């Protein structure tokens, strides 16, 4: 029951009605008998300017941030975590002692998902895409000391900008670009493939971002797309005996990291995964 003591958390975005975060966080609060609630807030662009002041006024404890505010919210924050600052995007805000501090849990959510299946140190990693998700994952990956990171992208300029930023803002230099249609040339030397493009996402489920012929049992392949639950890339990789990791893992882990920032408590993975899989299974 919501009472005067219930603590308020939520997510801001535009649009917001398709967010999976409310069922995941609220299920965990319920399972853990925590007096918290997680609410989706639809914030129109004309109302974003005073968001942080308003959230403080409402005594909100924590907010997730989704499209289109992950970057534009930053000037309103009192503090920003080092890695979120480097990424240039915030998806989680903690309100504590009157201060709003921004974090980015997308990268750590992806890294935790990978580390459940593979080491990252000294590995050769191929990242498909150079957009917002790729940026969060690539910056966070540099802390894990991989041997090499190769960014495959459609538009070279966007990959070059990401690579320049990595070299400027981190000590990591073993990062380079390859056109996305040429990944066959390097795939034998790659250990881990991460798709961060929307290629293969519903309704385009017959599309695949790269030629999969050379994928085999030595590869770990993660697709961050979560709808469908298993993309064409993952299906092909699995058929060829690669280790595969679906996008739901990153979605669950980024949410768990945000929950920890909001509440200082760690929920079980299944508290987040079960409601997510229930909704996504209905969509298949
Ligand atoms: N599992 C999770 O927790 C999670 C979290 C965040 C995002 N996602 C998913 O990740 C995907 C990307 O999100 P984002 O925010 O990073 O998007 P974004 O910023 O728009 O970046 C998209 C990237 O994909 C490339 N791309 C898009 N359409 C393409 C096409 N038709 N052919 C070749 N390349 C194409 C773009 O290349 P150019 O540079 O050439 O435009 C760009 O590199 C979405 O499917 C999203 O749902 C999942």
């Amino acid at each position: 029951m919501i009472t005067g003591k219930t603590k308020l958390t939520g997510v801001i975005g535009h649009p917001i009605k398709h967010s999976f975060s409310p069922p995941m966080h609220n299920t965990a609060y319920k399972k853990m008998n925590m007096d918290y609630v997680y609410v989706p807030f639809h914030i129109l662009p004309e109302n974003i300017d005073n968001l942080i002041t308003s959230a403080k006024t409402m005594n909100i404890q924590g907010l997730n941030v989704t499209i289109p505010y992950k970057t534009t919210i930053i000037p309103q924050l009192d503090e920003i975590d080092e890695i979120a600052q480097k990424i240039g995007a915030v998806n989680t805000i903690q309100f504590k002692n009157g201060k709003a501090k921004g974090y980015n849990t997308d990268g750590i959510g992806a890294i935790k998902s990978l580390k459940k299946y593979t080491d990252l140190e000294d590995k050769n990693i191929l990242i498909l895409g150079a957009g917002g998700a790729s940026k969060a994952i690539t910056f966070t990956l540099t802390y894990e000391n991989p041997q090499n990171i190769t960014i495959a992208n459609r538009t070279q300029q966007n990959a070059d900008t990401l690579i320049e930023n990595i070299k400027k803002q981190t000590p990591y230099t073993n990062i380079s670009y390859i056109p996305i249609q040429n990944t066959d040339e390097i795939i034998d030397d790659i250990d881990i493939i991460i798709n961060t493009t929307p290629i293969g996402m519903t309704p385009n489920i017959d599309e695949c971002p790269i030629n999969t012929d050379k994928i085999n049992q030595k590869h770990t392949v993660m697709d961050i797309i979560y709808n469908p639950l298993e993309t064409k890339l993952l299906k092909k990789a699995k058929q060829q005996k690669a280790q595969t990791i679906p996008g739901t893992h990153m979605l669950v882990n980024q949410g768990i990291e945000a929950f920890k920032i909001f509440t200082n408590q760690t929920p079980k993975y299944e508290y987040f995964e079960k409601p997510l899989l229930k909704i996504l299974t209905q969509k298949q």
Side-chain angles (χ1 to χ4, degrees):
M1 202 201 326
I2 295 174
T3 69
K5 286 188 270 180
T6 305
K7 291 187 171 148
L8 187 54
T9 59
V11 54
I12 60 162
H14 169 62
I16 201 64
K17 66 180 175 202
H18 300 297
S19 173
F20 298 111
S21 297
M24 294 196 290
H25 284 262
N26 284 319
T27 300
Y29 290 149
K30 202 169 166 192
K31 294 271 186 198
M32 295 165 78
N33 283 319
M34 293 172 67
D35 194 4
Y36 279 75
V37 66
Y38 187 103
V39 182
F41 295 106
H42 185 191
I43 308 294
L44 295 173
E46 59 264 38
N47 294 325
I48 192 67
D49 286 352
N50 294 315
L51 192 281
I52 294 297
T53 307
S54 307
K56 286 177 180 171
T57 306
M58 303 280 285
N59 198 23
I60 286 175
Q61 308 290 308
L63 285 176
N64 283 126
V65 183
T66 186
I67 289 166
Y69 302 127
K70 286 185 179 188
T71 299
T72 52
I73 199 70
I74 290 176
Q76 293 187 41
L77 301 171
D78 299 301
E79 293 171 45
I80 185 163
D81 169 71
E82 180 191 312
I83 190 138
Q85 170 89 58
K86 286 180 178 167
I87 295 166
V90 153
N91 77 335
T92 301
I93 304 169
Q94 175 197 54
F95 294 87
K96 204 171 163 185
N97 304 325
K99 295 255 197 296
K101 181 169 180 180
Y103 296 84
N104 190 309
T105 68
D106 280 333
I108 183 72
I111 297 323
K112 274 186 76 177
S113 307
L114 285 164
K115 282 174 107 173
K116 189 173 164 198
Y117 297 95
T118 175
D119 284 339
L120 298 172
E121 194 165 349
D122 295 331
K123 294 292 165 75
N124 292 324
I125 302 181
L126 173 63
I127 300 182
L128 314 176
S134 170
K135 204 170 172 186
I137 294 170
T138 308
F139 266 98
T140 314
L141 256 182
T142 63
Y143 287 74
E144 303 292 331
N145 298 316
Q147 181 77 47
N148 271 295
I149 300 176
T150 308
I151 307 286
N153 202 44
R154 175 180 58 181
T155 310
Q156 177 166 1
Q157 180 59 54
N158 293 340
D160 285 347
T161 303
L162 172 56
I163 291 166
E164 261 170 48
N165 284 335
I166 293 279
K167 287 184 178 170
K168 230 187 278 169
Q169 296 181 56
T170 78
Y172 195 82
T173 53
N174 293 344
I175 180 164
S176 56
Y177 165 75
I178 190 168
I180 196 162
Q181 67 276 12
N182 294 356
T183 54
D184 263 6
E185 292 170 11
I186 59 163
I187 216 144
D188 288 340
D189 297 324
I190 292 294
D191 302 297
I192 299 167
I193 303 167
I194 307 168
N195 177 40
T196 75
T197 77
I199 303 168
M201 191 163 77
T202 301
N204 303 315
I205 59 170
D206 289 327
E207 292 180 5
C208 192
I210 54 168
N211 181 351
T212 52
D213 291 350
K214 289 187 179 170
I215 293 179
N216 60 43
Q217 73 278 0
K218 81 156 220 172
H219 293 105
T220 298
V221 184
M222 180 164 85
D223 199 327
I224 72 163
I225 290 171
Y226 45 79
N227 190 16
L229 287 165
E230 190 174 54
T231 57
K232 184 168 182 185
L233 170 66
L234 291 189
K235 275 189 187 139
K236 290 250 187 178
K238 196 190 260 179
Q239 279 165 9
Q240 285 156 222
K241 307 273 187 284
Q243 173 68 60
T244 59
I245 310 171
T248 49
H249 289 220
M250 172 174 164
L251 193 57
V252 165
N253 280 319
Q254 63 77 28
I256 287 176
E257 292 305 307
F259 187 99
K260 283 158 64 178
I261 290 168
F262 295 158
T263 67
N264 232 357
Q265 297 203 47
T266 305
K268 284 188 186 164
Y269 187 87
E270 69 193 53
Y271 294 165
F272 270 63
E273 190 191 37
K274 263 194 187 163
L276 176 65
L277 289 183
K278 192 173 167 194
I279 301 168
L280 286 173
T281 307
Q282 283 162 0
K283 285 182 185 279
Q284 302 302 298

